[in-house]
Amino acid sequence: MQPSVTGESSKVQEAAKQEETTGGTSQVLALPAKGRSRHIHVKAWVCGIVTILVSITAIALAVWAAASPIGPPKPKPLKCDKASFTPILPSGATLEQVTAVPEGGSFGEGAANIPYPTNPTDLPELCALTVRVVSSPTSFYRFGLFLPAAWQGRFLAVGNGGFAGGINWLDMAPGAHYGMATVSSDLGHNSSVTGLSWALNQPEMRTDWGWRALHGTIVLGKQLSSAYYGKSIAHSYYNGCSTGGRQGLKEIQNFPDSFDGALIGAPAWWTSHLNNDVTRVGIYNLPVSDPKHIPTPLFSVIADEVVRQCDSADGVTDGIVTSPELCTFDFSPLLCGPFSNTSACLTQAQIATAKKVYNDAISTADGSLVYPGLTLSSEDQWYILLGGATDPSPFGVGYERNFLLNDANWDWRKYNDSLIKLAEQTDPGNSTAAKFDIHPYKDRGGKIFMYHGVADGLVPTKGSEYYYNKTIEAFGGKLDDVTDFFRFFLIPGMQHCWSTPVNAPYNIAGAFQAGAMGSGQWSVPGFKDKDHDAVLAMVEWVEHGKPIDQIVASTWRSPLNASSGLSGQRPLCPWPLKATYNGAGEVSAASSWSCPKLSGGGIRLKKPWWSWW
Ligand SMILES: *[C@@H]1O[C@H](CO)[C@@H](O)[C@H](O)[C@H]1NC(C)=O
Ligand SMILES: *[C@@H]1O[C@H](CO)[C@@H](O)[C@H](O)[C@H]1NC(C)=O
Ligand SMILES: *[C@@H]1O[C@H](CO)[C@@H](O)[C@H](O)[C@H]1NC(C)=O
Ligand SMILES: *[C@@H]1O[C@H](CO)[C@@H](O)[C@H](O)[C@H]1NC(C)=O
Ligand SMILES: *[C@@H]1O[C@H](CO)[C@@H](O)[C@H](O)[C@H]1NC(C)=O
Ligand SMILES: *[C@@H]1O[C@H](CO)[C@@H](O)[C@H](O)[C@H]1NC(C)=O
């Protein structure tokens, strides 16, 4: 099945036509109006000569302009080879390779790409470029560009994850299938998602990770794309999750012209706070010898009890915790008694640890918010932040050592909340994306679809809600003033960016989701349309003015295996709305659910609830 993104080339043709006419030489040299002083013969005679001279000059200029390379030339598409691209590269940029990939082919760097070693397969016919760009005297970044043969006039940038240093070829593949020219940057280093040692004493490399590499990639990627096709780009999009979500927000905040529509998944937007919070949360569960330590196998015991108590808070018992905020969780059934199975219960000290994980972290240094806590139902992913045998997660300790303190041997036992102030003040790499007033983006028609899994155990779900609240506040405090360009969707049961431990419908063609299902996948397998694929829904919003009122999420019997068979679908609604069960029909069918209408005054945040922080 083909996505409904065809037939949209009219804008592109229009833009190209405009270029042709305004660039034409015929209208450039209009002759001056004739003189009126005809009764003076001498003047008339002089005028005649002047007119003839002007005419001759005009004709000569016209002929010269037509033949000259200086007038705007009619753009000619380029060939897919190095010789075609080399002359149009700006200084500081070099081509690593240019490869013509046939229909059904594969492309990538394999194992040489540490974080993204899986090459996408079953690609459409395209031209693949790898470009290297010097970004400062001590740094450079690389980016990949897919130029599909069946181009639809659109441009797409995709993001990265964690501290990954590598071109995300796997996430670029869907873009090529949509017919979009697609870029991804390696962000200026070569490392795994959790590798941070590259950043030690490297402020320029941090800046590339923070924002510069993606921005440069977008600017040059657009230039190369329109040169290749010989047409200007009609619309530009973004799709990223986690660090990718942060990158997208940062780009929108600093460069409002980059995109017309952006998918922002589980954004790790508040670097200065989040990465310190990661260390803080890790310390809750360390050292492992302490009675407060919760061993990893007990996380699923807590998870099961959360489902047991919180599943039906939303009115439907389906194994999915849809409304954790409506659940007052009672820890006492988990408490070990004298005859308990110690592999399936928690001590008082362990329960105290769990409570800290759910609670918002408040700075002991100044009482301000560090970060909202993890949400009930996130427990199956607690191993990421709480599973360290000796240290908290590298997302935290690696940040303090290599970004914040420039001390490779810094010991996490020295952690205190004053580091958050320091991080706010220095914000290494300028990566924090906390400029909530994005009027420039809204004013030029930009749209945002932000989403976050409710079962995310890495980047707290409530952090995105907080971001959305802050945006509403920046736009005057009324939800309605934001929903016309920025909508936020919670995905119950989804973990960090993809997958689900409770078989909840989660897949909406967000970043990483297709790649997690296989190297040849793109969009939502079996449902490549605007009702199920948020990228295509975004295209509808941007290009046809149809706001995303709902998107149907999908899951499969084995959630990452499309061949295992579809097992459920359900609409997601714009926050604060939630899909409601119609009272009849299969709970696993999207048609049994509906989204309430988003309108009628909406919510007004009169007195910002966070004002007491
Ligand atoms: C990244 O580093 C690995 C291991 O050091 C190396 O094998 C690989 O070639 C590097 N990749 C790139 C793109 O530089
Ligand atoms: C104790 O709990 C663990 C974890 O739930 C379970 O695997 C085991 O079978 C239980 N043992 C007994 C004796 O019930
Ligand atoms: C917090 O840590 C910083 C940096 O290690 C240190 O300078 C400061 O004295 C500590 N503050 C407290 C209250 O322990
Ligand atoms: C961060 O951005 C500010 C303002 O744009 C600039 O003054 C500062 O030098 C930047 N710092 C880094 C580390 O990039
Ligand atoms: C966001 O604002 C709503 C409405 O005032 C409030 O109920 C909610 O708790 C806030 N959430 C967060 C995480 O800030
Ligand atoms: C996906 O599911 C199909 C059908 O159940 C099965 O044959 C196949 O082995 C599964 N693939 C993977 C990678 O698990």
Side-chain angles (χ1 to χ4, degrees), residues 361-373:
I362 303 300
S363 168
T364 55
D366 60 11
S368 65
L369 174 70
V370 176
Y371 217 88

Side-chain angles (χ1 to χ4, degrees), residues 284-295 298 336 345-354:
Y284 296 161
N285 211 30
L286 285 171
V288 296
S289 57
D290 196 290
K292 72 181 181 184
H293 175 75
I294 310 173
L298 281 181
C336 297
C345 71
L346 276 76
T347 64
Q348 204 60 261
Q350 290 170 329
I351 286 174
T353 299

Side-chain angles (χ1 to χ4, degrees), residues 315-331:
V316 180
T317 307
D318 53 1
I320 303 165
V321 177
T322 298
S323 296
E325 76 285 359
L326 298 180
C327 180
T328 310
F329 188 67
D330 175 10
F331 284 88

Side-chain angles (χ1 to χ4, degrees), residues 68 159 197 201 357 366 372 385 517 550 582:
S68 124
S197 54
N201 291 310
V357 177
D366 60 11
L385 297 186
M517 297 190 76
Q550 67 162 55
N582 296 338

Side-chain angles (χ1 to χ4, degrees), residues 15 202 267 302 512 564:
Q202 293 288 346
I302 308 173
F512 305 121
S564 68

Side-chain angles (χ1 to χ4, degrees), residues 405 410 414-419:
L405 301 171
W410 181 79
K414 284 195 265 182
Y415 176 89
N416 69 48
D417 287 340
S418 73
L419 290 177

